[in-house]
Amino acid sequence: MEAAQAWHYFIMSIVSIKLLAMVAVGTLAGIYIGAIPGLSVTMAVSILISFTFSWEINPALALMIGIWTGGVYGGSRSSILLNIPGAPAAVATGFDGYPLAKLGLAGHAIGLSTTASVIGGVIGVIALAFAAPIISEYSLKFAPRDYFLLAIMGILLVGSLSGESLAKGVFAGALGVLLSMVGMDNFTGQGRFTFGSVGLMSGIHFVAIMIGLFGVSEALVQLHDISLKAIKQDVSRIFPSWRLLFKHMYLIIKCSFIGVGIGALPGAGGDIAALLAYGHARRSVKKPMRPFGKGAYEGLIAPETANNACIGGAYIPMLTLGIPGDAVTAVIIGALYIHGLKPGPMLMIDTPHLFWFSVGCMLLANVFLLIFGLTGVRIFAKMVEIRKGLLLPIIIIISTVGSYAINNSIYDVYWMLGFGIFGYILKMYGFQVGPVILGVILGPLMEDNYRRAMIDQHNNILGFLSQLVVNPLSLVLTLGIVITIVGQTQFWSWMKRKVWKSKKEGI
Amino acid sequence: MRKMKKMLLMIVGLFIVSLFSFVQAQDFPTKDLSGIIMWGAGGATDNVVRALTPMVEPHLGKQIVLQNKPGATGAVSTQWVVNQPSDGYTLLYGAENPQLYRVLDISPLDYKDFYPVNITARGVGLIACNVNAPWKTLKDLFDDAKKNPGNIKMGSTGPGGLPYVVGAMMKATHGLTFNAIPFPGEGPGMTAMLGGHVQWMTVGLTAGREHVRAGRIRPLALVADEPVPGLEDIPLIISAYPEYKKYLPWGPFYGVWVKRDTPEPAKKKLVDAFQKGVKDPKFQAFIKDFGAVPMNLYGDGADKFLKHWQSVSCWLLEDAGATKVSPDKFGIPKP
């Protein structure tokens, strides 16, 4: 395509007041939809489909892109302020974001997460703009065994999230995997742990588990010292200092790549990208400013960068192949059909404007994200200063509404409350709830792909294991896992010392 | 005398009540309707529903508030709708899945419990393979499968899904077996076929057609008994193997149902509104782009189609050993 033509499509959304307004409205709405747990971007975009049926495709897409960008970011708000992840992609944000709010730095945390999100989002858009064909070919290379390896890589994070005892962490993680198995097995249609109930056939929705374990259980813990005065929030500085940003620029760029890469994979989305990025930060940052889990900036930057970079990544297989990169792109593909377009490998040939138009809208959405994300933070941060006697009931109400909204089902509310109490008990006995959610999110990815890879090898375990090292892509992932595990052992530090010593002696 | 008076009063009372309910039904709908979608946002069912509903609403004069209640291949939604009053205000937007619930032991319900307001469209299966696979025609694939039973990797979407049932047809007619690898939907299965992780798969025309046009997958046959407009170059399965005729037409379908015992006036009003909505040129254009075959059936005609579909599918699954309860037990006849 001619550069002039591409440029024309690219600035379409900026020069048209109508499209500009659509992106702005979308982004703003997205932030709030994302911030309310249970209301998901997927839901919002699918409602928009009927709503925008009679519109032209351009304004409809501009609105959807805005909502999506805002929504992915918005999830971090409630995660930081209330410890309730607004969306699964914001689970990892709370690991260090909520402790920051407890330190009275909620405003600072929101500012940092906004900036990290925008930088990640822009890197994602750049990747989409300039490397889409290459990345989409690479995403097809991922076989079931590779997804299995990715899930293993993610589950290793249990080690970092266990708190006082690794055994308790492993127990919690295994419990999460078990919970994820409840319901109808996709492979055989057999119900597992359903006790004959139709309601349980669809499993326990993981967002209900998430809201209960994080939001409600934390509220219950807070009841212990209800009379304690809320921490005064420091809102003097919202925008993070340039020094802080530059110091972590390398981490931001690495996590953006993780986000783009995972986002482009049709079988993995923002939640997994954020968890992997968090795990990466924990391993690669040797001297965080505060310990991880206690309000490390690195632990906030990593997942926030990755989940927004995911957006650009997820768009890649959608625009180039018509294959959804995650749940939201699946809905957008539906919207394209309804608007008379034909998503697929020919989409960019049939409707050439779509590519650069989408890139333009996304970039614009990130600009609006920066503006909206940094305004009104003071009011939000002050929310945490509300008297606990008021704040805790508000948390319970938000959790209830949110879990009802997932599937419009009262059972999800019961599950949410049940897991809230269960999470409280876990915390009282020194178990962390993080690994449970990790297990719930990664369990199906691990199990399904393991079974697929085994069926592929006619259930021959040796064949399966050899596949893990024969294929170059799988080999890289396997080596990554081996190094991560060995790197945590005594053997590794012994080896390092030995090599260091022999080098010294050599001189 | 007193007794008579009481009786008369009762009769008059009953008459008034029935008159009142009659008037009420005549005015149906007096309030907004609720539409329950049995599959999640972004799926094929969801797409069809969200394109169709705005076309129908003007003919009803009320809004249809849509809600996705996915779960257990739609059994959560069917159960939900059955639990609502039979007043015609709760619509079930669904796909083919309930017709398999009884033999798969998912739920005792199926479309016998619902009145088909409209069966809107049905999808057509496309047998396609990775471009690097050695087969040029369906016969090549069948010959290879005979030589290597259970070895060729086939993408599937779990028991009862389109690829699974077409595989079961091949097993029933030719004794072919494949190494079926299940994926959580057509999209992921198609991705695996593009990447060469499975060699062939039966996919819906909606997604398959565009990849054929781009030359990224090779079409082998359409699972249809009559040509699909615009795709006359792809051979039909029955032109190579006429014995598949008895199964066809077969494919996923989409439609809208209410509870069987909904009052007739309400049913009639809904049927009329949906007939008009489906005929809307804008919706017809959508269906054509979507790669589906328009049907627009209701009432008895729809029930006949549903029964045939159920008998073909249940017995194919039974013969493939995938059922939990024999279709015999429910009196489902052999095709």
Side-chain angles (χ1 to χ4, degrees):
Chain A
M1 198 191 305
E2 283 171 62
Q5 190 89 36
W7 176 249
H8 170 71
Y9 296 141
F10 177 69
I11 58 162
M12 244 163 106
S13 55
I14 302 161
V15 292
S16 152
I17 297 291
K18 188 179 170 195
L19 294 176
L20 191 83
M22 283 298 158
V23 178
V25 169
T27 312
L28 188 64
I31 293 175
Y32 291 97
I33 290 168
I36 299 172
L39 288 189
S40 65
V41 181
T42 322
M43 208 185 290
V45 173
S46 60
I47 290 168
L48 276 183
I49 291 184
S50 328
F51 183 66
T52 60
F53 184 78
S54 53
W55 296 15
E56 278 174 58
I57 182 72
N58 290 352
L61 258 186
L63 193 62
M64 285 178 201
I65 289 175
I67 290 219
W68 190 14
T69 310
V72 169
Y73 158 79
S76 68
R77 282 252 166 128
S78 39
S79 207
I80 291 169
L81 294 172
L82 306 173
N83 200 31
I84 313 173
V91 167
T93 309
F95 293 157
D96 276 293
Y98 184 61
L100 275 171
K102 273 180 157 174
L103 290 172
L105 293 170
H108 200 68
I110 292 178
L112 190 61
S113 82
T114 311
T115 329
S117 293
V118 170
I119 300 176
V122 170
I123 294 179
V125 177
I126 294 173
L128 167 67
F130 297 106
I134 305 163
I135 295 177
S136 71
E137 290 304 324
Y138 125 92
S139 72
L140 290 180
K141 295 255 184 303
F142 271 70
R145 56 171 180 275
D146 303 315
Y147 283 105
F148 167 71
L149 289 170
L150 271 184
I152 295 286
M153 214 175 251
I155 212 101
L156 287 179
L157 192 58
V158 166
S160 318
L161 297 177
S162 306
E164 55 181 50
S165 146
L166 180 64
K168 285 180 177 175
V170 171
F171 169 81
L175 182 72
V177 173
L178 180 75
L179 287 172
S180 76
M181 285 184 179
V182 176
M184 197 166 83
D185 172 32
N186 285 329
F187 286 38
T188 59
Q190 180 68 48
R192 300 191 292 189
F193 308 108
T194 59
F195 305 99
S197 117
V198 173
L200 270 178
M201 278 297 256
S202 47
I204 310 170
H205 203 286
F206 75 106
V207 174
I209 302 180
M210 184 180 84
I211 298 175
L213 283 184
F214 283 100
V216 175
S217 78
E218 178 64 24
L220 292 175
V221 170
Q222 299 267 333
L223 275 180
H224 283 243
D225 33 36
I226 184 118
S227 52
L228 212 69
K229 239 186 133 49
I231 302 126
K232 198 107 188 89
Q233 293 290 337
D234 171 20
V235 287
S236 57
R237 198 189 169 103
I238 302 299
F239 193 79
S241 72
W242 290 106
R243 239 192 68 229
L244 187 70
L245 282 180
F246 278 118
K247 191 176 162 218
H248 294 118
M249 204 34 99
Y250 183 49
L251 181 70
I252 289 178
I253 290 174
K254 278 192 296 180
C255 291
S256 303
F257 285 149
I258 294 177
V260 173
I262 300 291
L265 292 181
D271 44 357
I272 289 161
L275 286 171
L276 285 177
Y278 183 79
H280 174 75
R282 264 199 107 134
R283 279 190 287 273
S284 65
V285 180
K286 292 289 175 245
K287 287 198 188 85
M289 300 172 81
R290 284 186 204 90
F292 276 106
K294 301 226 153 52
Y297 288 137
E298 293 84 353
L300 180 64
I301 291 172
E304 276 304 289
T305 320
N307 65 22
N308 272 66
C310 233
I311 299 177
Y315 235 78
I316 292 173
M318 184 194 110
L319 280 182
T320 53
L321 297 171
I323 288 170
D326 67 356
V328 182
T329 34
V331 182
I332 295 184
I333 286 181
L336 294 178
Y337 278 124
I338 289 176
H339 282 279
L341 301 182
K342 292 172 184 159
M346 304 295 274
L347 183 69
M348 275 150 62
I349 297 162
D350 291 345
T351 37
H353 81 276
L354 215 59
F355 183 80
W356 285 104
F357 172 69
S358 303
V359 171
C361 284
M362 281 183 166
L363 206 59
L364 195 60
N366 274 295
V367 173
F368 283 120
L369 190 61
L370 192 66
I371 299 169
F372 296 137
L374 292 176
T375 46
V377 175
R378 284 186 177 81
I379 305 164
F380 268 95
K382 288 279 173 200
M383 209 171 115
V384 195
E385 284 184 14
I386 303 175
R387 210 150 44 79
K388 278 195 181 148
L390 273 175
L391 184 64
L392 299 185
I394 292 175
I395 292 179
I396 304 285
I397 290 170
I398 293 178
S399 302
T400 307
V401 173
S403 44
Y404 183 76
I406 306 166
N407 273 334
N408 305 307
S409 154
I410 193 73
Y411 292 105
D412 289 331
V413 177
Y414 299 152
W415 282 119
M416 181 276 297
L417 290 173
F419 276 103
I421 295 164
F422 181 62
Y424 170 73
I425 298 170
L426 281 182
K427 280 183 178 174
M428 286 299 107
Y429 286 93
F431 291 90
Q432 298 295 311
V433 293
V436 183
I437 283 298
L438 199 69
V440 172
I441 291 178
L442 295 172
L445 188 71
M446 193 164 59
E447 188 210 339
D448 290 357
N449 286 297
Y450 170 70
R451 287 168 69 188
R452 246 168 241 142
M454 283 296 279
I455 293 173
D456 183 86
Q457 292 299 313
H458 298 280
N459 292 321
N460 176 355
I461 188 82
L462 287 177
F464 167 71
L465 289 176
S466 72
Q467 285 286 313
L468 296 186
V469 289
V470 170
N471 184 289
L473 180 64
S474 312
L475 182 64
V476 171
L477 293 169
T478 311
L479 282 178
I481 291 171
V482 170
I483 290 171
T484 311
I485 296 175
V486 174
Q488 308 291 322
T489 57
Q490 301 280 321
F491 175 71
W492 185 256
S493 40
W494 177 77
M495 274 280 283
K496 247 184 15 199
R497 264 203 310 275
K498 196 140 192 209
V499 172
W500 181 245
K501 222 167 147 189
S502 64
K503 255 194 199 158
K504 249 187 185 167
E505 278 165 2
I507 300 163
Chain B
M1 200 58 205
R2 223 192 143 103
K3 219 173 176 184
M4 273 274 281
K5 220 173 178 181
K6 214 171 171 184
M7 196 91 152
L8 201 71
L9 212 71
M10 251 166 82
I11 289 169
V12 170
L14 266 174
F15 181 72
I16 291 172
V17 168
S18 65
L19 194 74
F20 185 69
S21 61
F22 178 72
V23 168
Q24 208 178 26
Q26 277 293 294
D27 287 334
F28 175 91
T30 53
K31 56 176 185 189
D32 283 351
L33 292 84
S34 149
I36 307 296
I37 309 170
M38 68 160 68
W39 282 102
T45 311
D46 187 65
N47 288 342
V48 173
V49 169
R50 287 185 194 275
L52 173 61
T53 304
M55 307 285 114
V56 176
E57 281 169 342
H59 303 294
L60 280 174
K62 291 284 172 204
Q63 300 261 309
I64 302 175
V65 182
L66 296 175
Q67 272 181 32
N68 298 85
K69 276 189 191 289
T73 70
V76 170
S77 279
T78 38
Q79 189 66 51
W80 167 271
V81 174
V82 156
N83 292 347
Q84 305 305 308
S86 312
D87 53 5
Y89 283 101
T90 313
L91 310 178
L92 174 70
Y93 283 105
E96 69 280 4
N97 318 75
Q99 293 300 72
L100 299 173
Y101 286 167
R102 287 192 292 169
V103 292
L104 293 179
D105 198 20
I106 292 172
S107 157
L109 299 169
D110 67 16
Y111 286 136
K112 71 182 172 353
D113 305 293
F114 297 90
Y115 173 81
V117 170
N118 197 292
I119 296 184
T120 311
R122 68 182 163 85
V124 174
L126 169 70
I127 300 173
C129 65
N130 181 289
V131 280
N132 296 321
W135 322 299
K136 301 281 181 247
T137 63
L138 190 63
K139 194 171 171 303
D140 294 346
L141 172 64
F142 279 23
D143 291 345
D144 201 359
K146 262 177 219 151
K147 270 183 252 153
N148 299 300
N151 268 331
I152 296 175
K153 290 176 202 168
M154 175 186 97
S156 174
T157 54
L162 171 70
Y164 187 95
V165 175
V166 172
M169 287 179 190
M170 292 176 180
K171 192 179 176 201
T173 42
H174 290 95
L176 303 179
T177 52
F178 298 93
N179 186 13
I181 304 180
F183 288 87
E186 191 173 66
M190 172 83 90
T191 314
M193 177 158 68
L194 289 172
H197 309 299
V198 298
Q199 290 161 287
W200 78 277
M201 183 171 171
T202 310
V203 295
L205 261 190
T206 315
R209 193 174 51 175
E210 290 305 298
H211 289 274
V212 169
R213 201 151 70 93
R216 283 186 158 264
I217 56 174
R218 185 184 301 138
L220 298 176
L222 282 175
V223 189
D225 51 358
E226 45 196 58
V228 176
L231 291 171
E232 288 83 359
D233 331 343
I234 306 175
L236 302 178
I237 191 167
I238 51 160
S239 56
Y241 300 99
E243 52 270 48
Y244 285 81
K245 181 89 179 96
K246 67 174 176 229
Y247 300 127
L248 302 173
W250 194 94
F253 56 85
Y254 317 102
V256 55
W257 283 261
V258 288
K259 282 172 76 177
R260 256 307 155 193
D261 51 351
T262 302
E264 284 305 322
K267 279 185 192 166
K268 191 174 174 316
K269 179 88 188 187
L270 285 169
V271 165
D272 286 348
F274 273 90
Q275 285 286 315
K276 284 178 194 146
V278 172
K279 280 189 192 132
D280 193 300
K282 224 176 143 191
F283 182 74
Q284 287 295 323
F286 160 78
I287 281 293
K288 192 168 160 281
D289 284 340
F290 200 65
V293 180
M295 296 183 74
N296 210 4
L297 294 178
Y298 69 95
D300 293 341
D303 276 329
K304 195 171 153 241
F305 171 80
L306 289 171
K307 285 217 175 84
H308 175 250
W309 195 98
Q310 188 171 41
S311 113
V312 167
S313 315
C314 290
W315 281 101
L316 276 172
L317 290 184
E318 170 76 7
D319 294 341
T323 50
K324 302 227 172 73
V325 187
S326 165
D328 242 346
K329 199 185 151 211
F330 306 111
I332 298 170
K334 284 196 181 188

